[in-house]
Amino acid sequence: GAGVSQSPSNKVTEKGKDVELRCDPISGHTALYWYRQSLGQGLEFLIYFQGNSAPDKSGLPSDRFSAERTGGSVSTLTIQRTQQEDSAVYLCASSARLSYSYEQYFGPGTRLTVT
Amino acid sequence: GQSLEQPSEVTAVEGAIVQINCTYQTSGFYGLSWYQQHDGGAPTFLSYNALDGLEETGRFSSFLSRSDSYGYLLLQELQMKDSASYFCAVSHYGGSQGNLIFGKGTKLSVKP
């Protein structure tokens, strides 16, 4: 079946503008995760969703970041008033359910550049 | 808090064996995963250890010692295509913690 898809693949925006990043998980996967990866660095956890439960937002770096997941499927990560330090690759992943969080399937990522 | 330590870089020659170590400090440890990421690509799942011992999947093996908070990824018969970054990650499912905590990654360079 289809893997995790993300759009756009690349986004260049001006400092101060808002951006929306989209993630479409593997069909049937109930857990969805967002990470951020700066150049040459590891993955920084941002937020995860499991089914209809309240998301775990503990990794969001500031209140400029928010995410929602509609209908238990597609998720959107929104960054308001972007700053240059927000430039990174934003990766989305899904797993069959939260108890399978050890095996996550990643999308290709969105490369965000804030100028 | 949680922390993982792994070497930043490793170099080996084609056909050789290389071991990438990972030590961790975390509460509510559940298991240790390994992911591979080629430059510009997405991380892909390689293996998972929840119990002590060795798990083998083809040329790759992964080991875990819970008492030592230590694991490693063993790559045998290295090929040029194995040049990539390798991340260990701790899962600590339970309560509200269902995410993976990733190490900073080990960049493996395979030379001819």
Side-chain angles (χ1 to χ4, degrees):
Chain A
V4 177
S5 60
Q6 294 185 246
S7 60
S9 55
N10 281 283
K11 177 72 176 179
V12 180
T13 190
E14 293 180 351
K15 178 182 172 181
K17 294 286 179 70
D18 297 351
V19 294
E20 283 190 354
L21 313 180
R22 177 189 166 104
C23 172
D24 207 335
I26 292 174
S27 177
H29 279 194
T30 61
L32 184 149
Y33 315 80
W34 283 98
Y35 297 87
R36 178 169 71 174
Q37 187 174 33
S38 300
L39 188 62
Q41 299 297 309
L43 281 74
E44 176 190 2
F45 165 73
L46 298 177
I47 186 171
Y48 78 75
F49 298 85
Q50 164 56 34
N52 296 320
S53 302
D56 180 338
K57 306 179 183 179
S58 59
L60 294 178
S62 77
D63 58 8
R64 295 187 295 105
F65 288 72
S66 63
E68 63 176 21
R69 189 178 185 192
T70 55
S73 181
V74 172
S75 177
T76 302
L77 177 70
T78 301
I79 309 174
Q80 296 178 312
R81 305 181 302 283
T82 51
Q83 304 294 312
Q84 288 186 330
E85 61 263 29
D86 299 334
S87 296
V89 176
Y90 288 80
L91 291 161
C92 174
S94 69
S95 65
R97 51 186 182 271
L98 199 59
S99 54
Y100 285 78
S101 64
Y102 60 85
E103 184 175 351
Q104 296 182 16
Y105 293 82
F106 283 81
T110 293
R111 182 175 299 277
L112 175 66
T113 304
V114 182
T115 60
Chain B
Q2 292 90 16
S3 68
L4 294 93
E5 296 289 334
Q6 52 180 131
S8 59
E9 294 185 24
V10 172
T11 301
V13 296
E14 212 172 0
I17 298 172
V18 71
Q19 179 174 313
I20 300 174
N21 298 320
C22 174
T23 57
Y24 59 87
Q25 286 187 317
T26 183
S27 57
F29 176 82
Y30 200 69
L32 189 71
S33 299
W34 289 92
Y35 285 77
Q36 177 192 61
Q37 185 179 32
H38 288 98
D39 283 348
T44 56
F45 172 77
L46 290 177
S47 68
Y48 174 68
N49 295 70
L51 303 175
D52 285 358
L54 192 69
E55 294 281 342
E56 298 182 62
T57 308
R59 294 187 298 115
F60 293 1
S61 302
S62 58
F63 172 83
L64 176 66
S65 169
R66 297 174 70 103
S67 60
D68 295 324
S69 297
Y70 163 75
Y72 65 73
L73 180 69
L74 190 73
L75 297 85
Q76 303 183 71
E77 302 172 18
L78 280 175
Q79 302 176 8
M80 298 297 290
K81 67 179 181 179
D82 297 330
S83 292
S85 291
Y86 293 84
F87 296 88
C88 59
V90 167
S91 61
H92 49 115
Y93 172 66
S96 64
Q97 293 178 311
N99 54 291
L100 284 178
I101 305 296
F102 282 82
K104 294 188 182 300
T106 299
K107 187 174 179 64
L108 171 64
S109 298
V110 180
K111 307 295 186 185

